[in-house]
Amino acid sequence: MKNLKLVYLLLISTFVGFSQDHFTGLSTSSRVGILNTYLNPAEIVNMSNKFEIDGLGMSVSVSNNKIGYSDLFSDTNLESALFKGSDPVNMTIDAEIHAIGFAMKFKNWGFGITTTARGKMDVVDVDPKLGDALSNSGGNSLIGNSIINSNYNQRLNGTTWGEVGFTVARSIKNTEKYKLNLGATFKLLFPGSYTNMGLDKFNGTITNTGTQLYLTNTTANLNFAYSGGLANNFSNINDYSQSVFGGLHGFSGDIGMNFQWKDKSIFNLKKNSNKYKINAGIAIRNIGSMTFKDPNNNSSNYELRIQGSQSLNLNQFQNVDNTQQIETILLNSGFLTKTQSNKDFTIKLPTLFSAYADVKIISKIYISGYIQQKLNDNNSNDQISVQNSFTITPRANFGFFEVFSPWSKNAISGLNGGIGFRLGGYYIGSGSLVTALINDSKQADIYTGFRWSFL
């Protein structure tokens, strides 16, 4: 299927860097700015300067649980490699672009405004035998029958949307030794485009005759939903990049708390310095949802039933590149029964809980730990997915120059290690470059950008 070709192109073209945790390693730096507020809005009170202007920043991530770095530059057939084995296939492509943002401190208060464009494409728990049949003509299968019995929802999902965020935070306790901040971000959501195909509780038999694949004795609950540009093609990169900001049709929020144990061993600090022994925080982010409204909107649930001597030829899906085509083929087959249909539909954001602590080891040397835990079910059709992860980042901060090396355990791609640098307001980094070069990493990520702070 053409949607997989998009995945392969992105994996190859972006493998110089791409992480599930955006700006990993940088967002826990003691050089606090607007980027830190994406992790925890309470951090805005800790800004290293009174004012900051956030220039253009970008972070892109590709991760999966099947294809490794060595597969990309070998003779391996990527379609075959993706659907080998018995483990369900999981893959995510996640990108965000930060446009101009502004933040300021005033006494014990902090205020900020941010603009962000986001795009995601996810493959969630796809059965490898079914995926092989639909995209690779059963290339991994012997001639005969393959029985699939799944009790979960398999999904192919793509989403683009824009955000405008307003952050406010306050220090509610600020002594010579300790500091406690509370903060919140309120976000206006501008849904752009969306597509979802869900196959829940899929049970069936795939018969491979050598040249043709047939689906028999099958039951499943299906969801087809689409809106905007992704209704026409979910494998064209332009459809993701050209339809990010739609109308205002949603709201979300972040809440956070931050605690600092100040470093009293440093004297003659400038007024806005941010020196500590421990900086820790917790936050709940992306609490909210958005409603897609577009002339070509559709969200329909179906029951798929193929019984007795009936069969569905799977070869007719080989050149499909959008959800509408798949829905049309199945409707024309006569095997679908519609159970529910809606014109407009609401999608939940990927709500997560996160916690972190940055600890000073010796002068200019720090180590931070960060954990994020999803609060919703990735298999739900009305949910944008997010992954659980844990990151350890040792870092040397010399003021104007900073170097750090994040090491993460991701629920999809496993262990990844990278490196990043900051020179003044400019930064560039990756959460997987090191393991991509020395090991068979299944993740690639890169981020870069510039911010200017003063006073």
Side-chain angles (χ1 to χ4, degrees):
M1 296 172 70
K2 291 183 179 178
N3 62 296
L4 294 175
K5 293 180 175 62
L6 167 67
V7 176
Y8 306 147
L9 287 173
L10 285 172
L11 281 168
I12 295 170
S13 63
T14 61
F15 214 88
V16 294
F18 288 67
S19 162
Q20 184 64 31
D21 307 326
H22 291 292
F23 306 98
T24 179
L26 183 67
S27 56
T28 53
S29 169
S30 58
R31 193 287 193 195
V32 176
I34 292 178
L35 279 179
N36 301 69
T37 68
Y38 285 92
L39 185 67
N40 185 346
E43 285 282 0
I44 200 169
V45 189
N46 298 330
M47 283 202 311
S48 300
N49 293 85
K50 282 188 176 181
F51 301 96
E52 180 169 282
I53 297 174
D54 194 13
L56 188 66
M58 177 204 72
S59 176
V60 188
S61 165
V62 178
S63 59
N64 78 104
N65 65 336
K66 296 284 185 171
I67 300 173
Y69 180 82
S70 62
D71 295 321
L72 300 177
F73 302 97
S74 68
D75 295 331
T76 301
N77 183 303
L78 294 181
E79 292 184 354
S80 296
L82 187 64
F83 295 112
K84 277 187 176 180
S86 58
D87 292 335
V89 178
N90 285 278
M91 178 178 291
T92 183
I93 301 170
D94 191 353
E96 65 180 50
I97 297 175
H98 296 177
I100 296 297
F102 175 77
M104 62 173 290
K105 290 195 304 183
F106 179 73
K107 295 184 178 180
N108 288 325
W109 290 88
F111 305 92
I113 181 171
T114 56
T115 53
T116 309
R118 301 183 185 273
K120 280 179 62 65
M121 178 179 175
D122 294 290
V123 178
V124 181
D125 288 337
V126 171
D127 186 279
K129 290 180 287 188
L130 180 60
D132 180 46
L134 294 175
S135 67
N136 197 35
S137 299
N140 289 331
S141 304
L142 297 175
I143 294 176
N145 295 334
S146 295
I147 299 175
I148 300 173
N149 292 304
S150 63
N151 58 1
Y152 51 84
N153 190 29
Q154 307 175 49
R155 298 178 66 204
L156 174 65
N157 179 268
T159 317
T160 65
W161 75 101
E163 298 178 352
V164 177
F166 302 90
T167 298
V168 60
R170 176 177 169 81
S171 288
I172 60 173
K173 186 76 171 179
N174 192 356
T175 69
E176 291 186 357
K177 291 184 177 181
Y178 305 110
K179 186 179 183 181
L180 181 64
N181 307 328
L182 296 178
T185 297
F186 175 73
K187 289 178 279 190
L188 307 177
L189 305 181
F190 301 84
S193 57
Y194 181 82
T195 187
N196 183 79
M197 181 176 67
L199 290 81
D200 189 27
K201 295 179 175 59
F202 186 95
N203 295 282
T205 300
I206 298 174
T207 301
N208 188 343
T209 64
T211 59
Q212 299 293 315
L213 296 175
Y214 294 96
L215 188 62
T216 60
N217 299 319
T218 301
T219 59
N221 298 315
L222 274 62
N223 171 262
F224 295 105
Y226 39 82
S227 177
L230 294 183
N232 302 317
N233 193 317
F234 52 56
S235 64
N236 190 336
I237 296 176
N238 290 333
D239 289 326
Y240 286 83
S241 61
Q242 293 180 359
S243 56
V244 177
F245 272 86
L248 174 58
H249 296 300
F251 305 95
S252 71
D254 307 338
I255 55 174
M257 180 173 63
N258 168 255
F259 170 79
Q260 278 192 4
W261 178 12
K262 296 181 180 180
D263 190 354
K264 299 299 294 180
S265 65
I266 301 177
F267 300 96
N268 300 320
L269 296 178
K270 71 176 184 176
K271 188 174 181 180
N272 294 303
S273 63
N274 185 43
K275 304 297 182 181
Y276 52 77
K277 294 180 179 179
I278 297 177
N279 183 64
I282 58 174
I284 300 177
R285 292 143 54 199
N286 298 324
I287 309 167
S289 61
M290 54 188 172
T291 300
F292 284 85
K293 298 176 179 288
D294 192 84
N296 65 349
N297 259 27
N298 181 64
S299 178
S300 298
N301 294 324
Y302 298 94
E303 182 181 1
L304 173 66
R305 186 173 295 274
I306 305 172
Q307 298 295 317
S309 61
Q310 298 174 330
S311 64
L312 175 67
N313 190 332
L314 297 180
N315 291 68
Q316 52 190 322
F317 295 100
Q318 290 302 303
N319 294 316
V320 166
D321 62 3
N322 67 67
T323 305
Q324 284 180 303
Q325 289 181 349
I326 298 173
E327 183 181 30
T328 299
I329 291 173
L330 289 173
L331 283 172
N332 291 338
S333 72
F335 298 134
L336 284 186
T337 301
K338 183 179 291 189
T339 59
Q340 184 181 1
S341 182
N342 299 298
K343 180 66 176 176
D344 299 330
F345 51 89
T346 300
I347 302 301
K348 298 176 184 176
L349 262 64
T351 306
L352 58 87
F353 168 82
S354 60
Y356 61 91
D358 190 41
V359 181
K360 178 184 175 181
I361 306 302
I362 58 175
S363 178
K364 305 184 186 309
I365 304 298
Y366 297 79
I367 187 168
S368 64
Y370 168 79
I371 187 170
Q372 73 175 33
Q373 174 69 43
K374 63 184 179 183
L375 299 181
N376 296 328
D377 182 8
N378 285 346
N379 295 101
S380 176
N381 284 318
D382 63 352
Q383 177 67 52
I384 300 174
S385 69
V386 68
Q387 301 303 322
N388 298 332
S389 66
F390 176 71
T391 304
I392 296 290
T393 307
R395 183 176 69 257
N397 189 343
F398 301 99
F400 189 76
F401 175 75
E402 184 176 4
V403 59
F404 46 91
S405 179
W407 290 81
S408 302
K409 183 66 178 298
N410 182 279
I412 288 181
S413 57
L415 179 66
N416 298 280
I419 191 167
F421 304 91
R422 178 184 60 82
L423 187 64
Y426 174 74
Y427 56 87
I428 185 170
S430 165
S432 59
L433 181 61
V434 174
T435 46
L437 295 176
I438 67 175
N439 197 10
D440 198 19
S441 175
K442 292 182 175 62
Q443 175 173 302
D445 72 280
I446 191 171
Y447 56 84
T448 186
F450 179 82
R451 60 247 177 101
W452 178 49
S453 60
F454 52 98
L455 297 184

